[in-house]
Amino acid sequence: MTPLAPRLDRPETPPSDLLIKRAHLIDPRVGIDEPADLLVRGGEVAEVGAPGSLEAPERAEVVDAEGLHAFPAFVDPHVHLRTPGREDEEDIGSGTRAAAAGGFCAILAMPNTDPVTDSASVLLSLRERAREEARVPTGFLAAVTVGQKGEQLTEMGELIDAGALGFSDDGLPVQSAGVLRQALRYQRMTGGCIALHEEDPTLSRGGSMHEGEVSALLGVGGIPSISESTMIARDAAIARYEDAQIHIQHLSARESVQAIEQAKAAGVRITCEATPHHLTLTEESVRSLDTNFKMNPPLRSEDDRQALLDGLRSGIIDCVATDHAPHAREEKEQPFETAPMGVTGLETAFAALHTMLVIPGLIPLGVLIERMTAGGAPFGLAIPSLSPGSPANICLADLAAEWEAGEAGYESRSSNSCFAGRRLIGRVRMTVAGGSVAYRERSFAIGAVS
Amino acid sequence: MMRNLLSIDDLTREDIERILSRAHSFAQVSGREIKKVPTLRGRTVINLFYESSTRTSSSFELAAKRLSADLVNIKSVGSSVDKGESLKDTVQTLSAYDPTAIVIRSPHAGAANLVARWTTASVINAGDGKHEHPTQALLDLYTLRGRRPQIEGTKIWIVGDVMHSRVARSNVLAFTRMGAEVTVCGPPTLIPRDFESLGCDVRYSLDGIEEADVVYALRMQMERMTGSYVPSLREYAARFQIDSRRLAPHQLLMHPGPVNRGVELAAEVIDSPQALIVQQVESGVVVRMAVLYELLAAGNAPSPVPAHTEPQPA
């Protein structure tokens, strides 16, 4: 597997020397779950030792992390940076600052931009901007089809050579089975995971929310679960036939989890993700017709949510991804049916999942950490780790801190959060990304340089 | 005192009773030669209609004027909405006129709720997308009670394109709130999944309609041919048209209008004495007067309408 850093872009940053003292370390893959000192030297995890046992080398920052938790930092394989085209909603700088504030050490940006990231020239210019502005290492996916029109394949080979970490037409499905098949076959030559937004437009047509009791009551067009699950089944079959590798984005329905389970059992190289909002909210939130609950795929029933939780626990759902989708305020201040779909998520992901799933005992904290750090794996990126020798990718969090989402504003340019106004428990204090400190919470005091 | 009427769900049974009986007293006003009362004199009501409508907008207009309010009619066509002005900006601009009430009709569900967020005026939902049309449900209840005082236990069948009907949704809620038993009936493609959760029965054919006391027919629109909802109007009419064979003599017939003659209703039943369609239109004004009164005046005046008054100068 390729290490995280070389394939992602961010400005040249001096690697950190850092001693994190007495944090409660949790890294399930390494088998650590206890208070410890963690030493970062030259941007790498150098040593983990008993609390209070490690000495800070010269010029290292010392962090008194008593009462805090330290995990491997998170990776989000599904972020909309809105660049190029809608820098009013988000740009690489603001989006990656939001990521860092949420404890993420790396993100992958979606190509449904304006212009679409479907050529090496657009991709290379984005990578260059990331090398100037990105607060955390940022990777870019390229489109599967030109203009995301679903008709003609992009120059997948050239795009991989130019540094694309994979492909997606996200925002839209690859509607034609024939075109998808060609892409999956071509992938044999080029490599690059193909991430799929699963939706059958002939089933979802006219819909803005889950097809169920709430849509029946509100008279708003519904998007049935089968719009997603039938496409997953179809695409898994094509991937199996072509021995291709696919990643299914933003799962929302029980039937979809079942389709993934069957595909995995049949040996298909398929992975999938679920968002914090699908894991914690349902169509009940949509009764209010608040557009901060309008997303695609929509929030579905409680039964669907339970299926997603089961899938996350068991690992059928491989990772959490936010599908961070910033929107301009005036666009969201419209009637539900006409407002654009999507909510932000980077800054609230961990806190929302910690508050609504871990604290009530629905998911162990260790499992959540595993799922929030696994997002880069389908794209060939190493999973962040606290074991010595790993690049330093660390999230330091206060699991007891209570805060109100949005009260202090957001790093993101946009404020369309489905958790706005909610009291959350668990706050990121500091994020180390790719070997250097990417985020410190404003009020978080760090010990003097020794 | 209620500030807005956005959904039938906002009203308790007592609220509905009170509005209906107030409508009844306004009916007496409407019988006079000078049909006005001064209740809302000096207040401004704005009709903000983003969808074309003759009967509802003129009904609200008359209702406001009979209460002596000043009325402003804003239709989206020919207004700055054509220039792309957002709903929010329009509402905030109108707020500068300090309206007492905004009556809003929109092609989008939840529009009335949004307007209520952006203004301190009372907001009346005159139809928001396919979601609700509360004043229609109230006037339907009022009309029905005029012929059949006991709504409790009444069996009402709502027949037609339920999926796209805000009238159906408001009526299911309103009729069941008043104790009626409601069945919705139509082709399966025109009745949403899980519609029973609104508190009604669902049927896919007219078999059993003879048990109904009231048949409420909905408009079948030409547009339903696209999208494969019904293969043809002919098949729809063959299965669901209410005609003199299917409508028993003891049954009352209602329709929100406008009627597609020969589609959902056969001509002979439209003009029969069982049909309450004309009375529904007539009752629209007094019911809307009662709604305006409920939201804007009920907290102030001790009684709705003096029993005997000299006609007031306008």
Side-chain angles (χ1 to χ4, degrees):
Chain A
M1 270 204 183
T2 336
L4 268 180
R7 305 198 48 203
L8 305 173
D9 295 302
R10 61 113 68 115
E12 288 266 337
T13 323
S16 295
D17 291 329
L18 190 60
L19 175 62
I20 300 175
K21 293 177 64 131
R22 300 177 192 279
H24 187 119
L25 264 56
I26 304 183
D27 187 346
R29 294 187 188 89
V30 168
I32 185 167
D33 183 357
E34 68 219 352
D37 281 3
L38 190 151
L39 179 65
V40 174
R41 196 158 40 213
E44 264 188 19
V45 178
E47 205 178 334
V48 174
S53 70
L54 297 186
E55 297 254 309
E58 213 180 293
R59 278 204 263 274
E61 281 184 58
V62 177
V63 180
D64 177 8
E66 176 115 41
L68 302 182
H69 282 71
F71 332 120
F74 316 129
V75 177
D76 192 343
H78 193 151
V79 176
H80 294 274
L81 291 179
R82 302 297 189 217
T83 306
R86 288 306 302 265
E87 287 88 341
D88 59 307
E89 293 178 323
E90 197 80 282
D91 59 37
I92 295 181
S94 63
T96 54
R97 282 195 302 278
F104 292 88
C105 61
I107 60 173
L108 296 183
M110 291 298 124
N112 59 331
T113 48
D114 179 17
V116 171
T117 308
D118 61 2
S119 71
S121 57
V122 178
L123 178 67
L124 288 169
S125 76
L126 278 176
R127 293 192 62 197
E128 189 169 324
R129 284 169 84 158
R131 284 195 287 274
E132 285 160 25
E133 295 170 34
R135 187 62 72 86
V136 302
T138 301
F140 296 92
L141 298 196
V144 179
T145 62
V146 176
Q148 295 190 311
K149 292 216 178 89
E151 290 160 12
Q152 199 192 330
L153 295 189
T154 54
E155 291 166 307
M156 288 169 64
E158 190 174 60
L159 285 159
I160 290 286
D161 290 344
L165 266 111
F167 303 93
S168 179
D169 272 359
D170 181 52
L172 295 168
V174 180
Q175 200 178 349
S176 157
V179 170
L180 181 66
R181 180 263 175 93
Q182 295 295 78
L184 293 181
R185 194 166 169 81
Y186 203 66
Q187 186 199 55
R188 284 189 199 192
M189 179 186 88
T190 63
C193 179
I194 296 180
L196 296 169
H197 166 114
E198 301 289 32
E199 176 186 344
D200 183 334
T202 65
L203 285 173
S204 67
R205 171 194 60 171
S208 351
M209 63 173 65
H210 173 58
E211 181 176 281
E213 278 187 23
V214 178
S215 69
L217 173 72
L218 294 178
V220 172
I223 299 172
S225 300
I226 48 171
S227 163
E228 180 177 292
S229 59
T230 53
M231 291 293 272
I232 294 176
R234 181 197 83 166
D235 293 351
I238 302 175
R240 184 179 181 187
Y241 187 72
E242 290 297 344
D243 191 25
Q245 189 213 345
I246 56 176
H247 176 77
I248 307 301
Q249 299 176 305
H250 44 51
L251 237 60
S252 69
R254 177 176 287 279
E255 294 87 334
S256 302
V257 180
Q258 287 165 349
I260 301 274
E261 193 173 12
Q262 282 164 16
K264 285 187 170 180
V268 180
R269 291 190 290 143
I270 186 171
T271 53
C272 66
E273 67 190 38
T275 67
H277 43 272
H278 289 105
L279 289 163
T280 56
L281 303 173
T282 66
E283 59 181 340
E284 287 305 310
S285 298
V286 183
R287 271 183 208 269
S288 62
L289 287 174
D290 182 338
T291 57
N292 280 340
F293 297 106
K294 182 176 184 181
M295 328 63 171
N296 197 19
L299 299 173
R300 299 198 187 271
S301 69
E302 177 60 20
D303 180 65
D304 292 307
R305 189 179 82 91
Q306 289 301 324
L308 294 175
L309 284 181
D310 290 339
L312 193 74
R313 270 186 225 112
S314 68
I316 290 177
I317 296 178
D318 302 84
C319 61
V320 170
T322 64
D323 194 3
H324 177 87
H327 281 294
R329 179 184 303 196
E330 64 272 8
E331 289 183 30
K332 279 291 205 177
E333 275 177 346
Q334 283 186 72
F336 192 89
E337 290 166 291
T338 60
M341 291 160 139
V343 291
T344 56
L346 286 166
E347 297 172 71
T348 50
F350 173 71
L353 293 170
H354 179 248
T355 306
M356 295 163 81
L357 299 186
V358 175
I359 290 181
L362 298 171
I363 285 205
L365 178 59
V367 172
L368 180 63
I369 293 168
E370 281 186 88
R371 304 288 180 259
M372 288 195 73
T373 51
F379 303 91
L381 302 175
I383 295 180
S385 169
L386 296 185
S387 65
S390 312
N393 288 301
I394 303 165
C395 170
L396 198 61
D398 182 348
L399 295 189
E402 274 202 42
W403 56 294
E404 182 183 303
E407 188 176 40
Y410 300 102
E411 292 290 344
S412 166
R413 281 249 158 89
S414 299
S415 55
N416 53 310
S417 166
C418 58
F419 299 114
R422 204 180 266 264
R423 291 215 67 72
L424 299 177
I425 303 171
R427 194 152 169 80
V428 174
R429 297 290 192 214
M430 188 170 100
T431 305
V432 179
S436 49
V437 176
Y439 171 76
R440 293 185 181 87
E441 205 209 4
R442 214 170 297 148
S443 59
F444 185 52
I446 298 192
V449 172
S450 65
Chain B
M1 184 171 127
M2 274 185 286
R3 203 193 111 202
N4 303 316
L5 178 58
L6 306 175
S7 153
I8 286 290
D9 238 1
D10 300 339
L11 302 174
T12 63
R13 189 163 171 162
E14 292 69 41
D15 294 327
I16 297 177
E17 300 272 8
R18 191 173 59 246
I19 292 174
L20 296 186
S21 88
R22 193 165 286 133
H24 188 68
S25 45
F26 281 129
Q28 294 162 7
V29 173
S30 298
R32 302 180 197 154
E33 202 183 310
I34 296 181
K35 304 180 194 302
K36 275 195 179 219
V37 291
T39 320
L40 293 185
R41 187 186 225 154
R43 318 274 217 78
T44 305
V45 175
I46 299 187
N47 261 0
L48 183 55
F49 275 62
Y50 281 84
E51 260 182 354
S52 62
S53 149
T54 328
R55 47 189 78 211
T56 306
S57 77
S58 51
S59 180
F60 268 108
E61 179 167 357
L62 267 175
K65 287 180 172 170
R66 288 191 184 168
L67 291 168
S68 301
D70 297 323
L71 181 98
V72 179
N73 267 316
I74 304 197
K75 301 186 200 318
S76 59
V77 173
S79 76
S80 59
V81 172
D82 275 353
K83 299 180 199 163
E85 189 178 38
S86 72
L87 179 61
K88 183 177 188 185
D89 286 327
T90 302
V91 171
Q92 290 183 332
T93 306
L94 294 176
S95 291
Y97 302 137
D98 194 23
T100 319
I102 298 180
V103 179
I104 166 99
R105 166 169 284 192
S106 161
H108 300 125
N113 302 60
L114 278 181
V115 172
R117 250 199 255 167
W118 298 324
T119 179
T120 51
S122 287
V123 177
I124 300 174
N125 181 6
D128 63 327
K130 324 242 180 304
H131 178 212
E132 282 221 44
H133 194 355
T135 58
Q136 177 74 40
L138 290 171
L139 72 86
D140 287 337
L141 272 172
Y142 177 84
T143 309
L144 183 56
R145 281 232 299 214
R147 279 288 280 268
R148 203 190 151 91
Q150 180 77 330
I151 304 260
E152 179 95 37
T154 300
K155 295 189 167 62
I156 306 177
W157 278 49
I158 301 178
V159 181
D161 181 1
V162 171
M163 176 173 280
H164 301 98
S165 172
R166 53 188 169 218
V167 171
R169 284 183 178 83
S170 284
N171 273 327
V172 170
L173 294 176
F175 290 151
T176 52
R177 190 143 296 178
M178 301 303 283
E181 288 171 31
V182 181
T183 301
V184 299
C185 173
T189 43
L190 287 177
I191 301 185
R193 278 168 81 98
D194 299 320
F195 204 76
E196 305 79 6
S197 64
L198 272 82
C200 58
D201 234 15
V202 171
R203 302 280 185 94
Y204 300 129
S205 82
L206 288 180
D207 293 342
I209 198 170
E210 52 284 353
E211 72 183 33
D213 302 306
V214 180
V215 176
Y216 193 114
L218 299 172
R219 209 169 111 77
M220 173 56 60
Q221 294 174 283
M222 295 300 299
E223 301 88 82
R224 298 305 159 229
M225 272 5 83
T226 63
S228 301
Y229 290 106
V230 289
S232 66
L233 285 181
R234 192 170 75 129
E235 178 144 303
Y236 176 81
R239 301 238 159 188
F240 294 98
Q241 182 183 90
I242 307 298
D243 58 17
S244 49
R245 282 180 306 127
R246 290 178 170 146
L247 190 70
H250 71 276
Q251 292 176 321
L252 295 172
L253 177 67
M254 301 178 74
H255 189 297
V259 176
N260 277 331
R261 280 180 179 254
V263 180
E264 65 265 14
L265 295 181
E268 72 264 14
V269 297
I270 300 172
D271 306 317
S272 82
Q274 296 160 257
L276 302 181
I277 303 174
V278 170
Q279 292 90 314
Q280 284 173 271
V281 178
E282 287 170 349
S283 60
V285 176
V286 294
V287 169
R288 289 172 172 128
M289 286 172 78
V291 169
L292 284 166
Y293 186 95
E294 173 79 12
L295 298 182
L296 305 180
N300 306 331
S303 66
V305 176
H308 301 285
T309 17
E310 291 308 302
Q312 300 284 327

